[in-house]
Amino acid sequence: MAIDQIHDLQQVYRKILHSMSRPGTISVLEEAKQLDYELPCKKSTMLCAMTVLDAEVTFHILPGNQQKLIEKISEYTSARYAPIEEADFVIILKNASKEDVLQAMRQCKIGSLIDPQLSSTWIIESEGLAEEGNLSLSGPGIESHASLHAGMLESFWKARSSRIKEYPMGIDLIFVDDDSGIVCIPRTTRVIMTEVE
């Protein structure tokens, strides 16, 4: 893997923080071009995993039966694989079924009022991100509202809304696409669909 695990991953971390503080803003992970591996996930997915996972956290992958990817992520990050109910990070690959994703949304950790940080962060593969789309975003870090296309169905956003209604509990979302784009939607962001995809 031709990537500087200190310098390059620091750059990725800064871009994730930038995207998390400015919901709906797409950044590009140029560092993904340096990854030389063949795994059933996007290079930007692996980069995000290498950046945010470590020996102190757990992760889950959808769809299941991704043993090679589980082993690689564990090898590079020392994170442990765990059931969806226990996972600190949930990685949703492009070929995950809608039903599996909605089930995971119902089961994943959202923290508690005392410990809201004990929640899950999702890394979701999207076919294409765009700053113009059918989602209207509002909340901290957004001047009035932002527009976004993330490629998820209305049922996903309804399920997500039900998991963030008791702030500060909730989940944070990181979307990645084929062009190494990344956009974040933290639990503080309100998402309204302006039209059905």
Side-chain angles (χ1 to χ4, degrees):
M1 184 166 293
I3 189 165
D4 185 325
Q5 297 228 9
I6 296 176
H7 178 266
D8 291 334
L9 295 186
Q10 282 180 345
Q11 295 301 317
V12 174
Y13 184 68
R14 287 190 186 103
K15 288 175 184 175
I16 292 173
L17 285 183
H18 175 82
S19 295
M20 206 53 94
S21 65
R22 293 168 181 81
T25 301
I26 298 173
S27 300
V28 178
L29 302 181
E30 300 286 353
E31 297 79 8
K33 297 174 184 173
Q34 299 172 47
L35 289 178
D36 53 355
Y37 69 91
E38 291 298 326
L39 287 173
C41 71
K42 299 180 189 302
K43 291 184 177 183
S44 46
T45 303
M46 189 65 179
L47 260 186
C48 286
M50 291 172 65
T51 302
V52 298
L53 272 61
D54 60 29
E56 303 298 316
V57 301
T58 56
F59 68 98
H60 188 83
I61 299 177
L62 287 178
N65 302 320
Q66 299 290 333
Q67 196 56 42
K68 182 180 178 185
L69 183 57
I70 290 169
E71 289 171 3
K72 280 294 178 191
I73 290 175
S74 293
E75 176 186 340
Y76 285 117
T77 68
S78 298
R80 293 168 290 110
Y81 188 76
I84 185 69
E85 300 87 356
E86 302 170 16
D88 300 306
F89 291 87
V90 179
I91 299 172
I92 307 294
L93 302 183
K94 188 168 58 175
N95 60 341
S97 74
K98 179 182 92 169
E99 294 76 19
D100 285 350
V101 172
L102 293 178
Q103 178 75 9
M105 183 67 77
R106 287 189 290 270
Q107 296 177 325
C108 72
K109 300 192 312 181
I110 60 169
S112 67
L113 291 173
I114 296 173
D115 291 307
Q117 74 280 6
L118 300 178
S119 61
S120 57
T121 297
W122 287 38
I123 301 171
I124 305 170
E125 294 189 342
S126 172
E127 289 188 10
L129 298 170
E131 290 183 356
E132 293 296 327
N134 65 336
L135 301 177
S136 177
L137 280 55
S138 60
I142 303 170
E143 192 167 328
S144 58
H145 76 279
S147 180
L148 180 69
H149 170 82
M152 300 302 281
L153 298 174
E154 185 177 19
S155 55
F156 173 85
W157 296 109
K158 285 183 176 177
R160 182 248 182 195
S161 291
S162 72
R163 300 308 313 266
I164 64 163
K165 62 185 177 185
E166 293 187 70
Y167 183 81
M169 297 189 297
I171 60 170
D172 300 313
L173 308 176
I174 301 171
F175 286 92
V176 297
D177 71 8
D178 291 325
D179 298 320
S180 302
I182 177 176
V183 67
C184 297
I185 302 181
R187 69 192 71 187
T188 54
T189 301
R190 184 173 182 224
V191 177
I192 298 174
M193 288 200 81
T194 55
E195 61 183 68
V196 178
E197 286 188 344

